Amino acid sequence: MWLSEVMLQQTTTAHAGPYFAKFLARWPTVDALAAAPDEAIMAEWAGLGYYSRARNAIACARAVAGRGGFPDTEEELRALPGLGAYTAAAVAAIAFGRRAVVVDANVERVVARLFAIDEPLPGARKAIRAAAERITPARRPGDFAQAMMDLGATICTPRDPKCLLCPLSTECRALAQGRQAELPVKAAKKARPTREGTAFWIEREGQVWLVTRPPKGLLGGMRALPDDRWTARRDGGGDPPLSGAWRAGGVVRHTFTHFDLELGLAIYAGDKWRELDGGEWWPVAELDAAGLPTLFAKAARLATAE
Ligand code: SF4
């Protein structure tokens, strides 16, 4: 339950499902996950995105194993690594039957319509939460939470809600006012910036040079191609990790939550490999096992397709 909620943060069920099955088959208990090496977990997570979740899941599994099991109150769950307000409430309600107010994007939409809350999101979250609190029952709070989420996912959908089928139709203010398509109101989105960076492909005798990214920050702790230190806030400096000749190998485009990245690929044509430091040679034929995040896996495909 906890692992599924972590994997489903910002991710669709269709995308997360196979990862969830793989994780449960390989590490069927939280103790097994806690005992697994970081690199093995990060490699299994590769491609699922939002890698800070994987790092938090490792820390959380170890904290839970260390205390002999999950705590069963929302407050204590909230104190575990990676459990935000929503996840702590969902686990408390669904796994432990505690009364907790569970508000995800689906519930947000249902409640905003049910009570005709006009204030735009995200500012409306406080009012939506207060309204959700009023209707959360003490009996079977987990079933209530799941029913509300399912209602939002299948009936009270963002476009064309199926109000004729809805069990809340007699109570719904948006429906009574004919405003279900307008609600919830969303504030205009900020323009998403585009960042530029470079990844460096250094190949020698069928092996490519890989580094492990610093533990904190974007794609932290993941194996990757060396790059020119682009971040969400600034473009890369373009400086290669090695002197000698480089040639352009194409561009990879990737979308992160808050920015788009245009990642140029530079391919090494020199012979100063001895200058390299702080990484590892990895067989190109076994790159699938390196657990590269999607961005670098795309860059590697570009380099090997040449
Ligand atoms: S009646 Fe329509 S708008 Fe209201 S909660 Fe049901 S599906 Fe959503």
Side-chain angles (χ1 to χ4, degrees):
M1 155 84 224
W2 156 73
L3 185 65
S4 71
E5 287 296 348
V6 171
M7 287 188 165
L8 286 168
Q9 289 164 6
Q10 315 267 346
T11 307
T12 61
T13 317
H15 188 43
Y19 286 85
F20 181 70
K22 259 194 315 180
F23 264 68
L24 277 203
R26 189 159 173 191
W27 301 295
T29 63
V30 74
D31 289 341
L33 190 63
D38 290 20
E39 310 79 65
I41 298 173
M42 297 307 284
E44 283 288 17
W45 199 281
L48 190 54
Y50 301 97
Y51 295 94
S52 59
R53 292 182 303 172
R55 293 193 298 278
N56 281 329
I58 295 169
C60 182
R62 290 183 187 152
V64 168
R67 69 185 294 291
F70 275 94
D72 65 357
T73 65
E74 189 178 355
E75 199 188 353
E76 288 173 290
L77 285 161
R78 184 81 167 88
L80 290 170
L83 271 80
Y86 161 75
T87 310
V91 174
I94 300 169
F96 297 114
R98 298 269 184 183
R99 183 180 182 276
V101 182
V102 182
V103 183
D104 72 348
N106 284 318
V107 176
E108 226 165 62
R109 185 169 58 255
V110 175
V111 172
R113 287 173 175 167
L114 196 56
F115 293 91
I117 295 171
D118 287 308
E119 194 188 339
L121 283 167
R125 292 221 163 100
K126 212 169 154 199
I128 290 174
R129 203 181 159 74
E133 159 87 51
R134 289 203 297 279
I135 57 172
T136 300
R139 273 189 61 236
R140 298 173 60 191
D143 288 347
F144 175 77
Q146 294 188 80
M148 287 291 279
M149 290 193 269
D150 283 351
L151 186 74
T154 59
I155 292 186
C156 194
T157 45
R159 270 182 236 142
D160 302 324
K162 301 165 192 67
C163 302
L164 277 176
L165 299 176
C166 179
L168 301 179
S169 58
T170 54
E171 314 287 333
C172 180
R173 287 189 207 158
L175 178 62
Q177 297 167 11
R179 298 171 58 219
Q180 60 273 43
E182 294 163 28
L183 296 174
V185 180
K186 293 206 172 132
K189 276 197 182 156
K190 280 195 211 142
R192 175 200 290 273
T194 299
R195 296 273 168 253
E196 288 177 8
T198 308
F200 300 100
W201 181 268
I202 306 164
E203 186 177 337
R204 191 189 65 160
E205 294 169 4
Q207 304 199 94
V208 60
W209 184 253
L210 298 182
V211 295
T212 299
R213 294 175 65 84
K216 292 247 160 75
L218 205 65
L219 310 176
M222 301 294 292
R223 237 183 236 118
L225 297 177
D227 67 33
D228 62 347
R229 300 187 193 285
W230 51 269
T231 69
R233 288 191 193 82
R234 59 176 169 78
D235 295 340
D239 303 328
L242 208 50
S243 63
W246 293 86
R247 61 185 172 80
V251 175
V252 169
R253 291 185 175 77
H254 192 76
T255 299
F256 289 99
T257 318
H258 300 298
F259 69 106
D260 292 326
L261 177 69
E262 287 188 0
L263 187 71
L265 181 67
I267 298 182
Y268 191 53
D271 59 2
K272 300 275 184 351
W273 300 293
R274 250 175 251 108
E275 291 175 18
L276 286 169
D277 192 18
E280 60 190 321
W281 290 107
W282 192 278
V284 174
E286 291 165 27
L287 260 184
D288 283 353
L292 294 178
T294 306
L295 167 68
F296 291 106
K298 282 194 229 171
R301 274 199 295 279
L302 196 62
T304 51
E306 284 218 324

